[in-house]
Amino acid sequence: MSRFDRTPDLDLLFRPRAVAVAGASTNVDSPGHDYLEAIKRQGFTGPIYPINPKADEVAGLKAYPALRAVPGQVDLVISCVPAPAVPDLVEQCGEKGVRFLHLFTGRFSETGDAEAARLEQEIARRAAELGVRILGPNGMGLYHPAGGLSFRPDLPADRGGVAFLSQSGNNAVEVITRGNARGLAFGKVVNYGNGLDITPGELLRYLADDPETAVVGAYVEGVPDGRGFFEGLRAAAARKPVIIHKAGRTRAGARSAASHTAALAGQAELWSTVLRQAGAIEARNQEQLLDLMVGAALLGAPAGRRIAIVGGGGGRSVQSADAAEENGFDVVPLPGAVRERVRERAPMLADWVGNPVDQSILAGSGLSSNGLLELMLEGDHYDLAIANVGEDWFFGRPDAAERLKHACGRLAAIAAGSAKPVAVVLGPTETRNREHRALVDEVRDDFVAKGIAVFPSVERAAFALGRLAAWKEQRDAR
């Protein structure tokens, strides 16, 4: 019997009717307590059963001495027990008809110890005989706000269509936290650890058909099922954007990956070829991963390569032009129709202003970069735009806060109302002026709340949009 012949509906993994935590602890500084609190705070609506033979109650919930003592049906068991106790837990899962066992428990093959690896394989064999699917081991498991699941109590409750698969637990936390701050609302997130049974390939195949998922991101060190991974990746990438951050590309990274999750990292060139052939988008670091996920989720791929660029002074304009062209965009000169509209309002600028729009020459003209952005987006001369806020200019003016908030409010309205992708560039808060830092963060939060894609530099915005444009062209060519 193959793995897929005995696969219960993975919907039940993400929406279990009842959850038990084996190794539930009264110690508030332990995973066995955190899982209970995390699930409670995410609003899980079904029964939650702490398993602890020495406590009557854990985290305000009635505790049971063993899984077999739980009175009702359990779909998902989260294991926080030591590795030697897992075989007995597997047997109890079989007795109770448990469909899924998530092994947060680690110290198996990732240790490099032969006996630990043998125990891991024995657990996999016995679970398969009993019809119990295993997530992990050595993984934090599931974060699915819509299903009331989480692996940390402090993760956001926002619900959305971004799925994320991660071989690393801490990486999953970082992507959720940083991505949420930039406007990503996550649906299904899985830290699968060693991928002993439920593999990233199987999860990708599931996400390909999942109506809740619009964009898929993944952090991968190595895969236990190369062919299954490729097939799952190809199925998902044929239907939605899939961004893969492949780590362990160097010799040092490969050594670290092997000790981290028992992963075989593979050659960087081979991985790049596999990702390209499957139709996925490759990221080389977490910043690229997040930028691409933000672009895919909030902007989508542009219809073409003609780009409008506004905002910032002369130097920023030159840098923006370089970044756009280096990422495959055509920085189309200001069309005659737009130039004539400028001539009507500011005759002195009509033969001076261009694309990119240098904000510094607009002062006192009655025109702003936002006004020019609206004109450039109206016709069919451009396919997308990058708008530099140019916040440093505002800081040097009287009433900086009011001016910046007004300009950004108008820019947000233009971006939200545009049928073409508009990426906003708002720089990082690299200043010792606390008031300026607080103001930039406030403005950024307002953009995010309105669903606007914000990038910390024009180079990162151009990179993400360029990769998404290339992905769309390749997909259309297929």
Side-chain angles (χ1 to χ4, degrees):
M1 181 183 294
S2 73
R3 171 186 296 128
F4 297 109
D5 290 334
R6 63 184 179 84
T7 300
D9 187 351
L10 288 187
D11 285 337
L12 193 63
L13 173 65
F14 293 99
R15 292 185 183 272
R17 293 162 294 187
V19 177
V21 178
S25 176
T26 56
N27 178 1
V28 297
D29 192 25
S30 69
H33 194 278
D34 278 352
Y35 276 104
L36 293 170
E37 288 295 341
I39 295 170
K40 287 168 58 180
R41 293 186 191 185
Q42 280 294 341
F44 184 74
T45 58
I48 306 171
Y49 301 110
I51 309 301
N52 184 319
K54 298 180 180 180
D56 296 327
E57 181 181 287
V58 181
L61 299 168
K62 176 179 170 55
Y64 296 84
L67 178 61
R68 59 173 57 96
V70 170
Q73 174 63 43
V74 177
D75 296 320
L76 171 64
V77 173
I78 300 171
S79 168
C80 298
V81 302
V86 171
D88 179 63
L89 180 60
V90 170
E91 296 296 329
Q92 293 189 55
C93 286
E95 293 175 22
K96 290 289 294 181
V98 171
R99 310 292 291 277
F100 295 98
L101 171 60
H102 158 219
L103 292 177
F104 170 76
T105 305
R107 300 195 177 184
F108 288 105
S109 59
E110 75 276 5
T111 65
D113 180 76
E115 182 59 26
R118 186 203 63 77
L119 177 61
E120 181 179 277
Q121 289 304 313
E122 177 59 25
I123 288 168
R125 182 194 64 79
R126 184 57 177 151
E129 291 175 350
L130 296 171
V132 179
R133 299 302 309 277
I134 291 178
L135 178 63
N138 185 35
M140 296 177 71
L142 304 168
Y143 167 66
H144 181 219
L149 298 178
S150 181
F151 45 69
R152 274 180 46 151
D154 60 336
L155 295 181
D158 299 344
R159 305 176 180 186
V162 179
F164 184 63
L165 308 179
S166 180
Q167 206 156 348
S168 162
N170 285 335
N171 184 280
V173 173
E174 290 172 4
V175 169
I176 293 169
T177 303
R178 296 180 66 188
N180 183 260
R182 294 184 61 184
L184 294 181
F186 289 89
K188 297 177 171 73
V189 176
V190 186
N191 169 218
Y192 54 86
N194 294 3
L196 176 64
D197 177 22
I198 298 176
T199 64
E202 184 177 354
L203 290 163
L204 283 165
R205 189 186 305 228
Y206 168 78
L207 292 173
D209 297 323
D210 179 31
E212 187 179 272
T213 298
V215 174
V216 180
Y219 169 84
V220 177
E221 293 169 0
V223 294
D225 59 335
R227 172 54 60 181
F229 177 81
F230 179 79
E231 291 176 352
L233 179 61
R234 183 169 58 182
R239 303 183 185 184
K240 52 199 74 174
V242 180
I243 301 103
I244 305 291
H245 174 197
K246 173 61 182 75
R249 299 185 306 275
T250 64
R251 285 193 297 271
R255 287 196 302 271
S256 179
S259 65
H260 182 203
T261 57
L264 290 174
Q267 297 179 352
E269 297 81 2
L270 176 61
W271 266 96
S272 294
T273 300
V274 167
L275 296 180
R276 183 171 58 255
Q277 289 179 347
I281 307 170
E282 182 178 8
R284 289 298 184 101
N285 52 53
Q286 191 179 96
E287 282 68 34
Q288 290 184 1
L289 174 71
L290 286 167
D291 288 344
L292 287 162
M293 290 170 70
V294 166
L298 302 182
L299 292 173
R305 294 279 189 163
R306 301 169 302 169
I307 191 168
I309 306 171
V310 303
R316 175 66 69 86
S317 298
V318 175
Q319 294 171 58
S320 298
D322 283 343
E325 191 164 299
E326 286 170 351
N327 283 281
F329 290 110
D330 184 6
V331 186
V332 178
L334 204 67
V338 174
R339 199 172 293 282
E340 288 307 309
R341 297 283 296 277
V342 173
R343 194 180 307 279
E344 294 170 5
R345 298 171 59 180
M348 297 292 293
L349 291 178
D351 297 319
W352 186 9
V353 71
N355 180 31
V357 174
D358 178 353
Q359 182 173 297
S360 65
I361 71 174
L362 303 180
S365 69
L367 275 175
S368 66
S369 59
N370 283 336
L372 277 163
L373 176 62
E374 282 188 300
L375 294 177
M376 296 167 83
L377 290 173
E378 280 179 1
D380 60 357
H381 303 285
Y382 299 101
D383 302 304
L384 73 159
I386 293 178
N388 293 287
V389 171
E391 63 279 0
D392 291 324
W393 179 86
F394 289 93
F395 292 152
R397 311 305 304 159
D399 304 321
E402 289 75 13
R403 291 189 185 204
L404 180 60
K405 289 180 181 179
H406 174 77
C408 288
R410 186 179 176 199
L411 174 55
I414 294 170
S418 173
K420 303 170 184 178
V422 179
V424 170
V425 174
L426 182 66
T429 50
E430 295 176 345
T431 172
R432 299 184 69 178
N433 187 311
R434 294 184 178 181
E435 292 182 1
H436 290 176
R437 289 204 302 265
L439 180 57
V440 170
D441 285 338
E442 181 182 352
V443 169
R444 183 181 292 106
D445 288 345
D446 187 57
F447 275 127
V448 167
K450 293 174 180 175
I452 307 301
V454 183
F455 297 84
S457 72
V458 69
E459 289 79 11
R460 285 173 60 175
F463 167 83
L465 286 165
R467 287 293 178 90
L468 289 168
W471 168 78
K472 182 178 184 301
E473 290 163 358
Q474 292 165 5
R475 186 193 63 179
D476 292 347
R478 290 190 179 96

